Amino acid sequence: QVQLQESGPGLVEPSQTLSLTCTVSGGSISSSPYYWSWIRQPPGKGLEWIGYIYYTGSAYYNPSLGSRVTISVDTSRNQFSLKLKSVTAADTAFYSCARDNCGGGGCLDSWGQGTLVTVSS
Amino acid sequence: QSALTQPASVSGSPGQSITISCTKTNSYVGNYNLVSWYQQHPGKAPRLIIYEVTKRPSGVSNRFSGSKSGNTASLTISGLQAEDEADYYCCSYASSSSCVFFGGGTRLTVL
């Protein structure tokens, strides 16, 4: 049973870069056909897909986030990471990592517990 | 505005059936053949209950079923139970951009 765990700062100052890491255990991040995803949810609001990455490094992002977002993968550590630049209060949310089990088709069958990131000075 | 539109809320009594719709409102979503549904209880991670429009992951009750007609996908829950009270999100893959979109979510209340 694969497990995912997010880690990173819970507080980020405005205009800075939000950085989170997801550690995958119980399975290899290099396995096909999995894509490794980031999703966020502002408190009391709905889900927003941020993007995902394949173990080869191919990454795809939500167009609404533009060039602010970068997802990377470290297969040697079985981890993938999220960087979101120039954050504002609107980026305050629970950030979750998840496994996409249908080749990037949006079948997120395993999730981390999520971590709250607050953007504030 | 989300590319996928869901009703904000639905309700039903125990034992009844309810249906939650998810309408593609943006051509950016493409052919809408990869639709999934998620159940989220308060304070919990979302749980995949339907994928590829009609398929159920192992362990998901057969009271949950998915369908699609034209630009609208639907989740039907039959034999409502108190434990079904949760938020439900539809999700679709856009092949034109290799992106995934969520609907705005529907709160199900079991009366």
Side-chain angles (χ1 to χ4, degrees):
Chain A
Q1 179 79 2
V2 70
Q3 294 186 315
L4 298 92
Q5 179 66 58
E6 306 88 354
S7 59
L11 180 65
V12 181
E13 293 189 354
S15 80
Q16 298 302 302
T17 297
L18 179 159
S19 297
L20 295 172
T21 296
C22 182
T23 301
V24 179
S25 58
S28 172
I29 204 168
S30 301
S31 298
S32 176
Y34 304 129
Y35 278 68
W36 303 95
S37 309
W38 286 100
I39 301 94
R40 69 180 183 179
Q41 185 172 30
K45 297 188 178 181
L47 300 169
E48 180 181 29
W49 181 80
I50 297 172
Y52 54 32
I53 192 165
Y54 196 54
Y55 77 93
T56 57
S58 296
Y60 302 88
Y61 306 118
N62 189 324
S64 70
L65 294 172
S67 60
R68 293 200 300 134
V69 61
T70 303
I71 298 175
S72 58
V73 63
D74 185 339
T75 55
S76 65
R77 297 186 175 188
N78 232 33
Q79 295 176 333
F80 63 107
S81 298
L82 168 70
K83 290 190 185 299
L84 183 65
K85 299 185 298 185
S86 305
V87 298
T88 69
D91 295 309
T92 293
F94 290 93
Y95 285 76
S96 298
C97 55
R99 184 182 76 174
D100 185 309
N101 189 16
C102 54
C107 317
L108 303 168
D109 68 342
S110 296
W111 293 66
Q113 65 185 20
T115 186
L116 177 62
V117 178
T118 301
V119 178
S120 175
S121 55
Chain B
Q1 183 176 351
S2 175
L4 302 174
T5 298
Q6 301 179 231
S9 63
V10 298
S11 62
S13 299
Q16 288 186 331
S17 294
I18 63 94
T19 296
I20 299 172
S21 61
C22 175
T23 300
K24 180 183 76 165
T25 56
N26 191 325
S27 60
Y28 194 64
V29 177
N31 58 20
Y32 208 34
N33 287 329
L34 284 173
V35 178
S36 53
W37 290 90
Y38 298 85
Q39 176 192 60
Q40 186 181 32
H41 288 108
K44 301 293 187 181
R47 175 196 180 202
L48 179 67
I49 56 174
I50 295 289
Y51 67 100
E52 294 178 4
V53 181
T54 61
K55 298 178 181 178
R56 271 190 315 274
S58 174
V60 173
S61 170
N62 60 9
R63 297 187 299 106
F64 295 90
S65 62
S67 62
K68 191 189 76 166
S69 177
N71 288 341
T72 298
S74 299
L75 171 71
T76 298
I77 308 174
S78 59
L80 268 181
Q81 300 178 1
E83 67 205 48
D84 298 330
E85 187 162 288
D87 293 326
Y88 292 84
Y89 294 89
C90 63
C91 175
S92 180
Y93 172 71
S95 57
S96 59
S97 58
S98 298
C99 293
V100 173
F101 294 92
F102 284 101
T106 299
R107 176 149 296 176
L108 168 62
T109 301
V110 180
L111 302 171

